[in-house]
Amino acid sequence: VLLHDEVKQAFTEHRSVVCHDAKPFMRSLMADGIDLSFLTLDTAIAAYLINPSKSSYSLASVCGEFLGAEPTGSMESDGTFDFGGTDISAQSCAEAAVFVSRLAPVVLAGLADIHNESLYADIENPLVHVLAKMESAGIAVDTAALLSIKDRLTAETQELTQLLHSIAGKTFNVNSPTQLREILYTDRGLAPGKKTKTGFSTDAATLEKLHDQWPEFIGPLLRYREVEKLRSTYGEGLLHEIAPDGRIHATFNQTVARTGRLSSDQPNLHNIPVRSDEGKVFRTAFVAPKGCSLLVADYNQIELRCIAHLANDPGLISAFAAGEDIHNATAARVFGVALGEVTADQRSKAKMVSYGLAYGMEAYGLSQRLSIGVDEASVILKAYFEAFPNVKKYMDDAIVEARRTGYTETLFGRRRQIPELLSDNFRVRQAGERQAMNAAIQGLAADIFKIALVRIDKLLTEKDFLSRVVLQVHDEVIVEVPDSEKEVVGPLILDTMRGAADLSVPFEVNAAWGDTWASAKG
DNA sequence: GCATGATCC
DNA sequence: CCGGCTGATCATGCA
């Protein structure tokens, strides 16, 4: 049995630690006051860079792929360090260690083959420690505020349930699409919209179309859906995740998203509502502790800027360089009007096209977003590509190149294989084309953001600031800053984010201070 | 365990 | 003509 001090010495003084999925382990050691800061290789993350599309990066599956053999140990590690381990766990840990040591040179060679050494060493590897610290810090939550939000929502769902039962003339489970189908399409005899695998759809888009045929029922039903989602996922869900220290410690996954982005679970803090005022209130429950403020800093239009750079499109580049309202500038070009003559409708359409671009948009998707016909959407899309011809060329080239090589690559060398491009199935192939257009864009944004995160942490650590990054949402960081450090730390963070990469367009970073995540968001 | 429908970027 | 937007996570119902 190892003593604490020996463990501490081993992990803190050994200059080269190789590990498979180091973060949970790091976080567990952190709780015991041990800082594993000399990670040199995480074989799970290396395997992810080599192919980010796998469904699992467990030690067994990675060994199976790279070594053709798997550990036999029955105990799968939960990543925590067990000071009082049994003989059985000691045996399987030892076996796992042997496998990791065999794996290391193989995945290193794999990284070298695809020229990912610096992507790994400069970005992904240091990020492990940064994320472990972020998870371990967690974000402070105002439990009372969260409870009162949840109670209000619960009361409203109960009222709405009563109302819907009385209008339908019977009691039923409002959460059941099956029972809703019966009421809408059988009892009431509404003309069904689109179908799902199991029957007629009852999703929000379908209900909106049916609204005028039975407004007194569908109105409250849509409202119920909205409120119930907020109550269950965010009200109940977040309350369950508050740790004894009054903070939420989510997990940030580094090997899940195929584009290179991070994901968050337990709980997912990447989809806390922001669009509706009603949902946004949950952000008031994420707070700064006494004596601190939250700095919320996010990249403005980072994906569009990536497109401008990658496509080398003069129109987009000059609009960004001039600091113009990008949707207004886009609309002016697309609809052929002067900057001052753009209507709200034109701007909103241009905005939707811009959002869709990063998703590998086609006319159908745009038509759904804008609630217009596919033919009208095609006209807008055509006008867009005529106004920004390099963007069109970039998208076409991305597909051709991905089909030729089998993968796409970001500026920093992050790869994503797209075998779907060779599928016989039209639908699958077209999904592959969208991925080919999207991957280098979203992936580059992810690379840049990860660089910023690593640099921000390095800066705060090296200069012994008490400020710490507590949350990250794709293009946004939330930093808990003691009031005494606000003046110094604020500008440092913004400068770091702006300087994370050197593209042909400048980065713009929006920043706001607040006592809660909500008040910080303009 | 899969399907549906919600949230976010 | 097909048939549906990138990437995620979670709650709930239903077989």
Side-chain angles (χ1 to χ4, degrees), chain A residues 41-56:
Chain A
L41 178 62
D42 185 319
T43 47
I45 293 171
Y48 166 76
L49 287 187
I50 292 166
N51 181 356
S53 302
K54 296 280 176 188
S55 57
S56 165

Side-chain angles (χ1 to χ4, degrees), chain A residues 173-415:
Chain A
N173 187 342
V174 189
N175 288 329
S176 165
T178 316
Q179 294 178 39
L180 267 176
R181 251 173 233 148
E182 187 181 317
I183 286 166
L184 294 168
Y185 305 123
T186 308
D187 297 357
R188 185 74 183 186
L190 297 182
K194 68 179 175 186
K195 278 189 296 188
T196 65
K197 278 181 193 167
T198 54
F200 296 114
S201 177
T202 67
D203 68 9
T206 306
L207 293 176
E208 297 280 1
K209 293 198 181 80
L210 296 172
H211 181 266
D212 290 346
Q213 296 180 53
W214 196 14
E216 67 273 24
F217 183 82
I218 295 180
L221 175 58
L222 286 166
R223 174 71 186 159
Y224 174 90
R225 279 261 174 85
E226 187 183 358
V227 176
E228 169 61 10
K229 168 71 176 177
L230 296 174
R231 185 199 66 78
S232 62
T233 304
Y234 303 107
E236 298 281 359
L238 291 176
L239 279 165
H240 282 124
E241 298 291 348
I242 302 175
D245 63 358
R247 301 173 73 96
I248 287 181
H249 304 263
T251 304
F252 297 106
N253 301 302
Q254 211 176 337
T255 59
V256 171
R258 287 172 290 190
T259 51
R261 292 223 282 218
L262 297 169
S263 77
S264 160
D265 63 12
Q266 289 186 314
N268 182 359
L269 295 182
H270 285 173
N271 66 349
I272 304 301
V274 67
R275 282 165 204 171
S276 73
D277 289 339
E278 193 119 43
K280 218 187 214 171
V281 297
F282 282 100
R283 297 187 176 221
T284 62
F286 293 84
V287 299
K290 201 183 277 287
C292 292
S293 298
L294 294 180
L295 170 62
V296 180
D298 70 293
Y299 282 107
N300 174 290
Q301 299 292 345
I302 190 168
E303 290 190 356
L304 256 191
R305 287 170 202 265
C306 289
I307 292 173
H309 175 87
L310 292 169
N312 194 26
D313 190 281
L316 278 180
I317 291 174
S318 66
F320 276 125
E324 287 169 16
D325 171 341
I326 192 66
H327 300 311
N328 195 67
T330 303
R333 282 180 170 267
V334 171
F335 298 105
V337 298
L339 280 175
E341 305 293 314
V342 174
T343 66
D345 183 62
Q346 288 172 327
R347 185 180 183 279
S348 134
K349 282 180 171 146
K351 186 174 171 181
M352 284 304 165
V353 176
S354 295
Y355 277 118
L357 270 190
Y359 301 153
M361 184 173 46
E362 291 160 42
Y364 177 83
L366 182 64
S367 74
Q368 294 296 298
R369 272 284 179 114
L370 290 172
S371 305
I372 57 177
V374 177
D375 45 353
E376 191 188 340
S378 310
V379 172
I380 297 175
L381 213 51
K382 191 157 175 285
Y384 183 95
F385 285 133
E386 277 166 14
F388 301 101
N390 284 19
V391 174
K392 172 68 176 158
K393 182 172 186 334
Y394 172 75
M395 297 292 179
D396 292 342
D397 289 351
I399 294 171
V400 170
E401 182 65 7
R403 195 180 290 129
R404 186 179 71 79
T405 61
Y407 60 86
T408 67
E409 218 172 11
T410 70
L411 280 186
F412 292 87
R414 182 186 304 280
R415 265 187 205 202

Side-chain angles (χ1 to χ4, degrees), chain A residues 20 41-57 61-63 65-67 102-121 124 254-260 405-409 412-419 450:
Chain A
H20 189 89
L41 178 62
D42 185 319
T43 47
I45 293 171
Y48 166 76
L49 287 187
I50 292 166
N51 181 356
S53 302
K54 296 280 176 188
S55 57
S56 165
Y57 295 92
S61 65
V62 174
C63 285
E65 181 180 350
F66 288 92
L67 302 176
R102 288 173 54 194
L103 202 49
V106 182
V107 295
L108 280 176
L111 287 179
D113 283 345
I114 60 172
H115 311 294
N116 266 190
E117 295 101 324
S118 92
L119 176 62
Y120 182 79
E124 299 292 345
Q254 211 176 337
T255 59
V256 171
R258 287 172 290 190
T259 51
T405 61
Y407 60 86
T408 67
E409 218 172 11
F412 292 87
R414 182 186 304 280
R415 265 187 205 202
R416 173 171 176 185
Q417 290 76 6
I418 309 185
K450 285 175 167 179

Side-chain angles (χ1 to χ4, degrees), chain A residues 22-32 132 135-136 249-251:
Chain A
K23 185 158 56 62
F25 183 48
M26 244 180 213
R27 191 172 149 184
S28 143
L29 287 173
M30 253 174 217
D32 284 311
E135 292 178 7
S136 166
H249 304 263
T251 304

